[in-house]
């Protein structure tokens, strides 16, 4: 009844969204602050919903181009960065050229897409400090490409633009490197400017994190026009009308309201640093984070114990039951009040 393709798939497991009671949600890396107020003024009249949206997302691409100081021809848009990444896996990676390389501990959607597109992959062991081993990736002689988030997830550790440039200098020009910059606005150094130097570099990003639009599903990619054209071909083979009218309008307004964006971004960074210091004073091991979350280990409890105790007290964090990181939990940064409640809860233990 079902295809062999379907039977091979292993689905991604997102962070839990329970409905049994109200929780402080520190498990899905959502922004604790609302979208910019000007977005509500951009809600189109209901009559406009009968019309298809602009399939080219022209105005949105122009706004992204202005923000990142690149030509509109270097911009691709999609329903969240997950869709953008899916199209990229289909467009640029081929197991006939070798394995896809990504870090041992990273975004768990990468293996899911590999299985979906029938790609082989190789996980590269982390350095002792949980940073990404770029040297091993750069030294690879046979692979179909490289992908990793910067800052990485779930560790939160970032690599510099110079490190990324050094990696690209050593790469074959016909092998794509994708840098997933979902969390870059919380302290990392964007590599977008490198896309003008390296035609095999693709940067992906999202409006879900720093721009507080996770519920609208809006993402983008920045790269050489040839890469963007390939993504458009994949997208238009599935569905030309991928982003709705309202979502496009919201994205444009979120890009324009730079002051509000920077205010919320700085608030998250400040709360992150305060929370990290509070945990370290209590003996927790907290990795240095440039993202909107912390990856931390309790001095005596397992990651699963921490997760369960917090959940019992109405607080959700993310626990990854994987060797090497099963003593840690990922803690998304909420409002100052939510993080104070989190600290007071662990103090009661």
């Amino acid at each position: 009844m079902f295809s062999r393709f379907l039977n091979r798939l292993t689905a991604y497991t997102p962070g839990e969204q329970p409905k049994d009671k109200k929780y402080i949600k520190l498990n899905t890396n959502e922004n604790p602050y609302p979208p910019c107020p000007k977005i509500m003024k951009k809600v189109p009249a209901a009559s406009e919903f009968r019309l298809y949206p602009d399939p080219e997302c022209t105005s949105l691409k122009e706004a992204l181009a202005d923000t990142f100081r690149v030509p509109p021809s270097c911009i691709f848009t999609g329903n969240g960065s997950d869709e953008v990444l899916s199209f990229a896996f289909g467009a640029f990676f081929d197991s006939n050229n070798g394995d896809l390389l990504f870090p041992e501990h990273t975004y768990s959607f990468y293996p899911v897409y590999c299985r979906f597109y029938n790609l082989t992959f190789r996980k590269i062991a982390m350095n002792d400090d949980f940073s990404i081993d770029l040297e091993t990736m750069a030294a690879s002689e046979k692979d179909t490409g490289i992908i990793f988030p910067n800052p990485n997830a779930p560790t939160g550790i970032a690599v510099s633009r110079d490190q990324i440039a050094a990696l690209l200098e050593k790469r074959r020009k016909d092998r794509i490197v994708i840098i997933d910059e979902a969390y870059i606005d919380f302290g990392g150094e964007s590599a977008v400017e490198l896309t003008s130097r390296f035609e095999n570099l693709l940067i992906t990003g999202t409006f879900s994190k720093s721009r507080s639009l996770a519920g609208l599903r809006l993402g983008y990619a920045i790269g050489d026009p040839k890469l963007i054209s390939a993504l458009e071909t994949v997208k238009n083979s599935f569905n030309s009308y991928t982003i709705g009218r309202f979502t496009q309008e919201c994205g444009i307004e979120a890009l324009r309201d730079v002051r509000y964006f920077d205010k919320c971004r700085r608030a998250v960074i400040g709360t992150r640093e305060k929370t990290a210091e509070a945990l370290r004073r209590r003996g927790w091991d907290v990795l240095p984070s440039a993202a909107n979350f912390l990856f931390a280990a309790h001095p005596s409890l397992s990651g699963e114990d921490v997760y369960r105790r917090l959940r019992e007290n109405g607080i959700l964090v993310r626990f990854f039951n994987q060797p090497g990181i099963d003593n840690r939990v990922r803690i998304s940064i909420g409002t100052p009040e939510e993080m104070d409640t989190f600290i007071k809860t662990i103090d009661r233990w």
Side-chain angles (χ1 to χ4, degrees), residues 24-97:
I24 293 177
K25 287 184 78 274
L26 307 180
N27 67 325
T28 48
N29 296 345
E30 295 152 328
N31 198 310
Y33 302 103
C36 71
K38 294 180 181 178
I39 282 179
M40 296 311 299
K41 299 178 183 178
K42 284 291 183 180
V43 178
S47 62
E48 294 186 19
F49 288 151
R50 66 186 174 83
L51 303 173
Y52 281 112
D54 172 15
E56 302 298 327
C57 300
T58 304
S59 296
L60 176 60
K61 288 179 180 178
E62 290 173 349
L64 282 162
D66 288 342
T67 297
F68 292 103
R69 301 179 182 179
V70 298
S73 60
C74 295
I75 301 287
F76 176 81
T77 55
N79 282 300
S81 58
D82 286 339
E83 180 181 76
V84 176
L85 287 168
S86 176
F87 292 159
F89 272 60
F92 305 125
F93 301 140
D94 187 334
S95 287
N96 288 332
N97 297 325

Side-chain angles (χ1 to χ4, degrees), residues 92-338:
F92 305 125
F93 301 140
D94 187 334
S95 287
N96 288 332
N97 297 325
D99 298 334
L100 177 61
L101 308 182
F102 48 80
E104 177 185 8
H105 303 302
T106 193
Y107 188 28
S108 55
F109 232 129
Y110 298 160
V112 173
Y113 283 146
C114 284
R115 296 182 184 103
F116 185 86
Y117 288 105
N118 199 27
L119 300 170
T120 58
F121 59 88
R122 179 157 53 97
K123 295 183 179 183
I124 305 301
M126 315 294 287
N127 293 320
D128 291 341
D129 61 356
F130 282 97
S131 62
I132 297 173
D133 185 356
L134 294 181
E135 291 186 6
T136 297
M137 289 185 175
S140 173
E141 296 182 355
K142 181 172 174 56
D143 61 75
T144 189
I146 292 173
I147 184 170
F148 60 87
N150 188 38
N152 191 24
T155 66
I157 297 175
V159 298
S160 71
R161 186 185 301 123
D162 287 344
Q163 289 175 293
I164 293 171
L167 168 70
L168 290 161
E169 291 283 1
K170 299 174 183 177
R171 294 288 297 165
R172 288 178 51 174
K173 304 308 180 187
D174 63 343
R175 294 292 185 266
I176 305 298
V177 175
I178 299 179
I179 310 295
D180 184 354
E181 292 192 350
Y183 304 103
I184 200 69
D185 295 322
F186 298 107
E189 190 177 25
S190 177
V192 165
E193 70 175 45
L194 297 179
T195 58
S196 63
R197 288 174 50 194
F198 299 97
E199 63 182 19
N200 60 333
L201 172 63
L202 187 75
I203 303 293
T204 62
T206 179
F207 285 70
S208 295
K209 313 302 181 184
S210 58
R211 300 187 191 275
S212 305
L213 293 177
L216 285 186
R217 311 308 303 133
L218 183 57
Y220 57 88
I222 302 173
D224 185 89
K226 293 190 293 294
L227 302 185
I228 301 305
S229 177
L231 291 173
E232 294 287 356
T233 297
V234 175
K235 182 201 77 169
N236 292 329
S237 298
F238 286 90
N239 175 17
S240 297
Y241 300 101
T242 59
I243 303 174
R245 297 173 67 90
F246 178 54
T247 300
Q248 292 186 40
E249 291 286 347
C250 289
I252 293 168
E253 201 59 56
L255 291 167
R256 288 175 176 168
D257 199 341
V258 177
R259 180 177 298 181
Y260 183 81
F261 159 74
D262 198 51
K263 176 184 175 181
C264 292
R265 182 181 68 86
R266 291 181 181 276
V268 170
I269 293 172
T271 305
R272 179 192 71 206
E273 295 306 303
K274 180 181 177 182
T275 304
E277 179 57 28
L279 289 172
R280 291 187 181 110
R281 287 199 307 268
R282 289 159 174 79
W284 289 56
D285 178 52
V286 184
L287 297 185
S289 175
N292 65 336
F293 55 84
L294 297 170
F295 203 43
H298 188 277
S300 59
L301 297 174
S302 70
E304 185 172 11
D305 286 338
V306 171
Y307 160 76
R308 293 190 183 282
R309 290 190 183 204
L310 285 170
R311 196 180 193 285
E312 290 169 0
N313 284 273
I315 299 174
L316 297 177
V317 296
R318 195 77 190 268
F319 165 63
F320 299 92
N321 190 18
Q322 301 173 18
I325 59 172
D326 53 3
N327 64 326
R328 295 179 178 272
V329 291
R330 192 194 67 194
I331 306 157
S332 301
I333 301 302
T335 63
E337 295 76 18
E338 288 173 332

